[in-house]
Amino acid sequence: MVARSHGGPEVIAREDFDPGAPGEGELLVAQDAVGLNFIDTYYRTGLYPAPLPVPLGSEGAGQIVAVGAGVTGFAIGDRVGCASGLGAYASHRIIAADKAVKIPDGVSNEDAAAMMLKGMTACYLAEDMIRLEPGQVALVHAAAGGVGSVLVPWLRDKGVIVIAHCGSAEKAALVDADHSLHGPFDGLAATVRDLTSGKGVDVVYDGVGKDSWASSLASLKRRGLMVSYGNASGAVPPVSLLELSRGGSLYVTRPTLFDYIATPQELAHTAERLFDRMQRGVVKAVIGQRFALSDAAEAHRALEARETTGSTVLIP
């Protein structure tokens, strides 16, 4: 499934193709499941540039059916997942072996496809952005969504106090946080201040973007960290450094997962931490909905309308 032009979900079209044989350092994977992520909509609309037609999707899992020359550590039949590059919306996919991770026993291919990108994002947010200690406080936006539904239990397992925020009471009821809030952003910062005895939170994890930006900054404690990792409501407008000063010498970062899994060693370490927490039951693949791969446009519509909960998978 590809986007032949930039635009709404209607630009997604089916395309028959022959993946061919894997080249040197590559694997050919027959995919059982594909993960749906908000970043897919950014490539579809052109917010993130890529040559047309755009082969959509980053995240998928399945079995290796062919191994290219020079590949070591992988064999035909191995179960692997990948969350890098484009072209995951497909029945078969050629990937670089150094971008693949083996899926361990106790983790299904469907769960891996639902969790690779979101779970590894939650991993670097919780473990690599800031050294959080038990008792510190985090505000997590879109807490019932793909990343949020993994990040909240991950943080709580570390002893972090989590204030979760969702767009509706129904979604907030699904979140097991210390405080699960919902509703407009206008009064959120005041509520956060009340819950933290006026101090604010140590860190805000914000995948919403434009609509939540002001409330996120206003929720931070002095020298707090604003982690803006997504644009579900649109890109954050230009930021004034004076605004950060007035807020209490605030820190802001705009990270992406791929800078935290840039080497095979970093990828393996991140995947290892994710699969460990999946096997121990700390985090779970909460698959809220499944779509046929051919219905990818409908899946995009549901995602952008904020009608999904947890993870969404596309089944080839």
Side-chain angles (χ1 to χ4, degrees), residues 98-161:
D98 61 5
K99 301 298 184 185
V101 296
K102 286 187 179 180
I103 301 171
D105 293 340
V107 177
S108 71
N109 288 356
E110 190 172 282
D111 284 354
M115 288 285 279
M116 283 286 295
L117 196 148
K118 305 168 194 67
M120 291 196 297
T121 296
C123 178
Y124 89 78
L125 291 175
E127 300 294 333
D128 302 329
M129 298 296 312
I130 178 175
R131 188 180 298 277
L132 288 168
E133 302 294 338
Q136 288 188 280
V137 188
L139 171 61
V140 178
H141 286 295
V147 173
S149 62
V150 183
L151 180 58
V152 169
W154 194 307
L155 291 170
R156 297 196 75 199
D157 184 61
K158 291 169 63 70
V160 175
I161 298 169

Side-chain angles (χ1 to χ4, degrees), residues 150-218:
V150 183
L151 180 58
V152 169
W154 194 307
L155 291 170
R156 297 196 75 199
D157 184 61
K158 291 169 63 70
V160 175
I161 298 169
V162 176
I163 301 174
H165 183 263
C166 298
S168 69
E170 293 77 13
K171 288 188 176 184
L174 300 174
V175 179
D176 184 15
D178 297 275
H179 308 281
S180 190
L181 311 177
H182 63 89
F185 293 112
D186 293 349
L188 177 59
T191 302
V192 169
R193 294 283 172 183
D194 289 342
L195 293 172
T196 57
S197 302
K199 295 178 181 178
V201 300
D202 295 276
V203 58
V204 175
Y205 294 107
D206 191 338
V208 176
K210 177 174 63 70
D211 290 352
S212 56
W213 177 256
S215 65
S216 292
L217 288 186

Side-chain angles (χ1 to χ4, degrees), residues 6 44 46 55 61 80 90 106 120 124 150 153 172 203 218 231 236 257 262 278 285 305 313:
H6 294 137
R44 190 202 74 221
V80 295
M120 291 196 297
Y124 89 78
V150 183
V203 58
N231 319 287
V236 173
L257 168 63
M278 291 178 70
V313 293

